[in-house]
C-alpha cells in the first residue's frame, strides 16, 4: 500500500468513525469504552475488505470529533447529520487533492455492543485519466471487551499491524496531498 493510500484511507476511516461516534450537527451517542472491531467492506474495490481494531473511551470519541470536525469543515462543503427513526443519516460533499466525494451514509446500532455504517459515494476527479465512479462501503463495528494491555485509548490497529492513534490526526491532515 502506498503512503498516499494509507493517508487517504486513514483520513476516510477517521471521518467515518467520527460520523458514527461524535457530535457534529447534533449529538450522536458515544461508543462504549473498550476495544471495537471495525470491518470495512468496499464493494468493487481492489481491497474489498479490511478489518481493524480501535481502542476507545468517552474522552477519545469526543476528542476525535472535535479534531475531525475542523478538518472536515476545511475539506467538506456540505456535512449534514440527521436523526431518523432507525438511527442517523449523514450527507456530505468533501474534496481532497482534486478529488470530490459526494456521500450518503446510514448509521444504525446501539453504540454499546454494535453499530453499522452503510454509505454510498460518488467520486469525481483525481489522477489524470481517472473517471468518476460510485462505490459502497459498509462498516460493521462490534464491541470486543476491554482494550489489550499494549493499547491506549485512541489506538487503531490496521491490517498488517500498522498502528496509529486518532490523537495524531492533525499529522494526517498535514500529509494530505494538495494536488
Amino acid at each position: 500500500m502506498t503512503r498516499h493510500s494509507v493517508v487517504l484511507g486513514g483520513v476516510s476511516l477517521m471521518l467515518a468513525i467520527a460520523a458514527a461516534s461524535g457530535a457534529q450537527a447534533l449529538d450522536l451517542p458515544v461508543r462504549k469504552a473498550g476495544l471495537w472491531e471495525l470491518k470495512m467492506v468496499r464493494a468493487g474495490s481492489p481491497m474489498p475488505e479490511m478489518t481493524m481494531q480501535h481502542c476507545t473511551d468517552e474522552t477519545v470519541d469526543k476528542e476525535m470529533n472535535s479534531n475531525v470536525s475542523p478538518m472536515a469543515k476545511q475539506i467538506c462543503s456540505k456535512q449534514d447529520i440527521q436523526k431518523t427513526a432507525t438511527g442517523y443519516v449523514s450527507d456530505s460533499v468533501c474534496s481532497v487533492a482534486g478529488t470530490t466525494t459526494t456521500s450518503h451514509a446510514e448509521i444504525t446500532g446501539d453504540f454499546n455492543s454494535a453499530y453499522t455504517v452503510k454509505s454510498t459515494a460518488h467520486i469525481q476527479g483525481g489522477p489524470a485519466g481517472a473517471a468518476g465512479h460510485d462505490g459502497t462501503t459498509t462498516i460493521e463495528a462490534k464491541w470486543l471487551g476491554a482494550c489489550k494491555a499494549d493499547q491506549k485509548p485512541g489506538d487503531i490497529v490496521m491490517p498488517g499491524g500498522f498502528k496509529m492513534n486518532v490523537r495524531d490526526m492533525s499529522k494526517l491532515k498535514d500529509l494530505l496531498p494538495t494536488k
Side-chain angles (χ1 to χ4, degrees), residues 38-97:
L38 294 98
K39 180 180 174 184
M40 184 184 305
V41 178
R42 290 180 270 179
S45 170
M47 295 175 44
E49 186 176 304
M50 178 170 49
T51 301
M52 60 213 84
Q53 293 186 342
H54 184 201
C55 173
T56 191
D57 63 14
E58 183 177 347
T59 303
V60 164
D61 270 8
K62 288 179 180 179
E63 281 178 18
M64 188 168 56
N65 185 65
S66 66
N67 288 336
V68 167
S69 189
M71 184 189 329
K73 285 178 184 172
Q74 287 181 339
I75 65 173
C76 300
S77 60
K78 177 182 180 182
Q79 202 180 10
D80 297 326
I81 297 178
Q82 301 296 322
K83 175 92 173 106
T84 67
T86 58
Y88 301 87
V89 172
S90 170
D91 290 291
S92 64
V93 178
C94 302
S95 297
V96 176

Side-chain angles (χ1 to χ4, degrees), residues 94-142:
C94 302
S95 297
V96 176
T99 301
T100 299
T101 303
T102 303
S103 64
H104 173 81
E106 297 178 6
I107 306 162
T108 57
D110 65 10
F111 299 90
N112 286 312
S113 62
Y115 64 90
T116 302
V117 179
K118 292 182 180 182
S119 65
T120 57
H122 177 72
I123 302 167
Q124 287 183 229
H133 63 278
D134 296 330
T136 59
T137 302
T138 301
I139 298 174
E140 296 175 349
K142 67 179 176 181

